Amino acid sequence: MVLIAVFNLWSCDNSSDIVEQEIVQQEETQPEETEQEAIEEEVIEEEKEETDKSFLLPNIDLSNWKVTLPIGSPDEVEPPEIIDYATDERLLPYMYNDSTDGTLVFYTLPSSSTANSSYSRTELREQMVPGSNSTNWTFAEGGRMKGTLAVPEITKDVNGDYHRTLVMQIHGRLTNEQRDLIGEDDNNAPPILKIYWQKGKIRVLTKMLKDLNFSDEEILHTNAWEDNEGYTFPAEIGTNKFTLEVIASDGRLEVLLNETDSVVFEDIHMEKWGIFENYFKAGNYLQSRDQGSYAKVKYYDLEVSH
């Protein structure tokens, strides 16, 4: 009996030692698990930061723009709805963000067209008063538009030549009084400025009167005006990013490419144009009805001032 008691006592002591050793081992391994968790959390944070850095957005305020789409009658989206363009299913795939390079993409193809045109567009129209086309500006009041953009994708015709697209405009508009005076049923007037991406270069067209002796009433008619010979900047743009700036003032119009090359129109035709109201346009107005044709125009930034 004594031997048994001693043996049991030794067994209890030995079990106690084992339990103590297990506790010590657990205490020693616990910091290693915590350290590993910290490392994993740090890696996740670094990956999140990298993701945040790679997600870019265009520097464009759409508060004073509406967009026309190449679908519907055609469809238009005005402020304030246009502010939520990124989540508006009506605008996909025609107007959306490319977060890899921080651009606002305008995609178009031959489909629905607006009145007074046979081509389709995904194009912004300036609205000085959000939601209204009635308030516009004259050359005497002046206006400036500047944008950084690119034409990364555009199709070719059957001859292997690139299609062309309008990327910026200044469009004329009749006041209600002018419209009624000449008996028109809308306020449409010609575009005084059209800027094309054409065969990898930037081409500028403005308007000139067919007859300088036209009266102030006669020059209100669209058919009183025609395109001038235009100007093509010598620089090859291709699919690269470039900057365009348009400055309109009393009797004068200037277009700058990449802040260095400039063309100025300052003549009697520009003086006569002062009779019209105007608004800026920017985007992708594809000048093709060929089956399968399309174009993408990317805007990195766009700003307007008056």
Side-chain angles (χ1 to χ4, degrees):
M1 294 295 294
V2 174
L3 290 175
I4 293 173
V6 171
F7 177 77
N8 286 342
L9 180 61
W10 178 85
S11 299
C12 291
D13 291 342
N14 191 45
S15 298
S16 177
D17 291 342
I18 292 172
V19 171
E20 288 179 1
Q21 288 176 3
E22 289 178 350
I23 293 173
V24 170
Q25 287 177 353
Q26 288 177 1
E27 289 177 349
E28 289 177 350
T29 56
Q30 185 64 33
E32 291 181 4
E33 293 176 357
T34 304
E35 185 177 347
Q36 181 63 30
E37 289 175 358
I39 292 172
E40 290 176 355
E41 289 177 1
E42 187 176 336
V43 170
I44 292 171
E45 283 299 319
E46 288 178 356
E47 290 176 349
K48 183 179 178 182
E49 287 178 9
E50 287 299 319
T51 302
D52 292 342
K53 288 177 182 177
S54 64
F55 189 84
L56 305 172
L57 293 175
N59 182 27
I60 300 175
D61 182 0
L62 294 172
S63 301
N64 292 91
W65 297 96
K66 75 171 182 178
V67 65
T68 301
L69 304 174
I71 54 173
S73 298
D75 290 346
E76 294 183 339
V77 179
E78 296 185 329
E81 287 80 12
I82 194 174
I83 303 301
D84 297 322
Y85 71 93
T87 56
D88 193 329
E89 293 184 356
R90 293 173 297 173
L91 291 167
L92 292 173
Y94 307 107
M95 178 178 162
Y96 59 91
N97 289 333
D98 184 341
S99 60
T100 63
D101 57 6
T103 57
L104 180 57
V105 182
F106 297 90
Y107 168 80
T108 198
L109 73 173
S111 186
S112 298
S113 60
T114 58
N116 307 302
S117 172
S118 56
Y119 298 118
S120 300
R121 69 186 81 198
T122 305
E123 188 180 35
L124 297 173
R125 192 269 199 210
E126 179 190 16
Q127 291 187 321
M128 298 182 75
V129 175
S132 172
N133 294 335
S134 299
T135 303
N136 302 282
W137 52 274
T138 64
F139 270 40
E141 294 168 329
R144 171 185 169 274
M145 176 168 61
K146 185 176 182 180
T148 304
L149 61 152
V151 183
E153 295 181 37
I154 190 165
T155 49
K156 296 180 180 180
D157 61 22
V158 293
N159 298 317
D161 295 323
Y162 282 108
H163 292 114
R164 66 176 183 167
T165 188
L166 268 166
V167 296
M168 282 188 178
Q169 294 188 73
I170 296 179
H171 211 289
R173 189 179 189 277
L174 298 169
T175 64
N176 292 342
E177 293 75 18
Q178 290 171 336
R179 177 199 63 199
D180 296 341
L181 177 64
I182 64 175
E184 289 291 341
D185 56 3
D186 61 30
N187 297 82
N188 184 65
I192 184 60
L193 174 68
K194 295 183 288 186
I195 304 180
Y196 296 91
W197 184 99
Q198 181 172 314
K199 297 181 179 179
K201 293 189 175 184
I202 300 302
R203 178 159 174 76
V204 179
L205 284 179
T206 65
K207 293 293 184 185
M208 58 185 293
L209 277 169
K210 295 178 180 178
D211 188 342
L212 288 174
N213 294 316
F214 282 156
S215 67
D216 287 349
E217 180 180 338
E218 289 174 320
I219 68 176
L220 295 175
H221 293 272
T222 297
N223 59 12
W225 298 84
E226 61 184 355
D227 289 338
N228 68 354
E229 63 181 12
Y231 176 80
T232 301
F233 285 98
E236 184 79 29
I237 297 300
T239 59
N240 297 318
K241 182 165 62 173
F242 61 95
T243 299
L244 280 173
E245 184 173 8
V246 177
I247 304 171
S249 55
D250 197 4
R252 187 178 188 274
L253 181 60
E254 181 177 9
V255 179
L256 294 95
L257 174 63
N258 289 330
E259 301 181 345
T260 54
D261 296 337
S262 171
V263 58
V264 176
F265 304 93
E266 190 172 16
D267 53 30
I268 185 62
H269 304 286
M270 285 296 147
E271 292 178 13
K272 293 285 189 178
W273 187 262
I275 198 170
F276 291 107
E277 291 185 345
N278 306 273
Y279 52 88
F280 285 118
K281 305 195 82 175
N284 183 4
Y285 184 12
L286 181 62
Q287 306 293 288
S288 172
R289 294 189 297 276
D290 293 349
Q291 185 176 1
S293 61
Y294 73 91
K296 283 184 181 179
V297 177
K298 290 186 167 188
Y299 268 80
Y300 295 80
D301 53 63
L302 178 67
E303 58 182 31
V304 165
S305 60
H306 295 285

